[in-house]
Amino acid sequence: MSQRHEPAGHARTRLMPLPEEHWDPRTRKLLAIAPRDPGSRVPNIFTTLVRHPDPYEQFLPFGGQLLRRGRLPDRLRELLILRTSCNTGARYEWGRHLPLAKAAGITDADIDRVTEGPEAPGWTDLERHLIQAADELNSGATLSDATWEALARHFGEAELIEIVMLVGQYHMVAFFLNSTGVRLDPGFDSTGCAERARSHG
């Protein structure tokens, strides 16, 4: 079983989003291409990360490649991200990805299973192996031979690379969110993961 971390959603905010009145020309240019929430609001993750503009500039296209232009089906990608959010206690990540997951066809029953782990009844064989992969990468930073071979029956080399990089990317994002205490944006709900994970952990 993977090691779950205490949820970080109520941790003290260590870095605040950069207020718009402090955006210099480069910051404005970088944030101009960031995804927007309703009302043209820039999500807190971006207005916080942009305090270090050099990695921010590289982060957005790489993250967009995995999120929007990757080879994994949307449903499978979001299952991996949600399980990684649970494993790292990243409430922000969980809350932001719930709407994306539901748009990809992930049901409330699926979301319950995400918090229960790979042994929860109802997964397909492929989904169970993906959840197991997220857990193995979280706990040991590698995939077991059995999990790799199971996934290789469904995916080619590029998809196998993408699975590992996707989970790694969202670990990195969780480390940033949890350590800086980024607050979830208005209109998003982070409840569910931490409470159910504790009950099943």
Side-chain angles (χ1 to χ4, degrees), residues 19 58 61 71 85 87 96 100 111-112 114 116 137 168 182 186:
Q58 304 304 315
R71 299 194 181 197
S85 302
N87 283 336
R96 293 290 314 198
L100 298 176
I111 291 167
D112 284 336
V114 166
E116 295 172 23
L137 290 167
V182 175

Side-chain angles (χ1 to χ4, degrees), residues 113 130 186:
R113 279 194 289 273
L130 283 170

Side-chain angles (χ1 to χ4, degrees), residues 25-65:
R26 184 186 183 194
T27 299
R28 289 189 180 279
K29 182 178 180 181
L30 290 172
L31 292 176
I33 59 172
R36 300 280 177 134
D37 287 340
S40 293
R41 185 180 184 280
V42 183
N44 290 340
I45 183 175
F46 301 126
T47 50
T48 305
L49 183 58
V50 80
R51 288 180 173 278
H52 193 350
D54 293 338
Y56 174 92
E57 190 169 17
Q58 304 304 315
F59 168 82
L60 206 59
F62 180 70
Q65 171 64 41

Side-chain angles (χ1 to χ4, degrees), residues 2-197:
S2 66
Q3 179 181 356
R4 292 195 185 92
H5 304 282
E6 282 301 304
H10 299 294
R12 177 171 60 89
T13 299
R14 292 169 172 153
L15 290 178
M16 296 296 295
L18 187 66
E20 187 169 0
E21 59 267 25
H22 293 159
W23 295 1
D24 61 20
R26 184 186 183 194
T27 299
R28 289 189 180 279
K29 182 178 180 181
L30 290 172
L31 292 176
I33 59 172
R36 300 280 177 134
D37 287 340
S40 293
R41 185 180 184 280
V42 183
N44 290 340
I45 183 175
F46 301 126
T47 50
T48 305
L49 183 58
V50 80
R51 288 180 173 278
H52 193 350
D54 293 338
Y56 174 92
E57 190 169 17
Q58 304 304 315
F59 168 82
L60 206 59
F62 180 70
Q65 171 64 41
L66 291 172
L67 183 62
R68 302 295 184 191
R69 297 180 297 278
R71 299 194 181 197
L72 297 176
D74 292 351
R75 173 183 171 84
L76 301 184
R77 180 198 67 231
E78 291 302 322
L79 286 174
L80 283 168
I81 295 172
L82 287 180
R83 184 60 179 173
T84 300
S85 302
C86 274
N87 283 336
T88 56
R91 284 184 181 271
Y92 187 102
E93 200 166 78
W94 174 265
R96 293 290 314 198
H97 277 270
L98 276 180
L100 298 176
K102 291 180 178 180
I106 293 175
T107 66
D108 289 340
D110 294 327
I111 291 167
D112 284 336
R113 279 194 289 273
V114 166
T115 67
E116 295 172 23
E119 300 308 318
W123 292 127
T124 66
D125 284 346
L126 172 56
E127 290 167 347
R128 186 177 71 255
H129 292 310
L130 283 170
I131 298 296
Q132 181 67 32
D135 286 3
E136 289 177 2
L137 290 167
N138 178 69
S139 62
T142 190
L143 295 180
S144 66
D145 288 341
T147 297
W148 178 272
E149 290 164 8
L151 293 175
R153 290 195 289 270
H154 298 272
F155 297 115
E157 292 177 351
E159 288 82 7
L160 291 168
I161 291 170
E162 191 168 306
I163 288 166
V164 174
M165 295 191 77
L166 180 74
V167 174
Q169 157 80 353
Y170 281 91
H171 269 83
M172 180 183 71
V173 172
F175 296 162
F176 166 73
L177 294 168
N178 292 350
S179 297
T180 59
V182 175
R183 297 290 176 174
L184 189 57
D185 307 282
F188 292 85
D189 186 4
S190 68
T191 58
C193 179
E195 292 80 2
R196 287 194 291 250

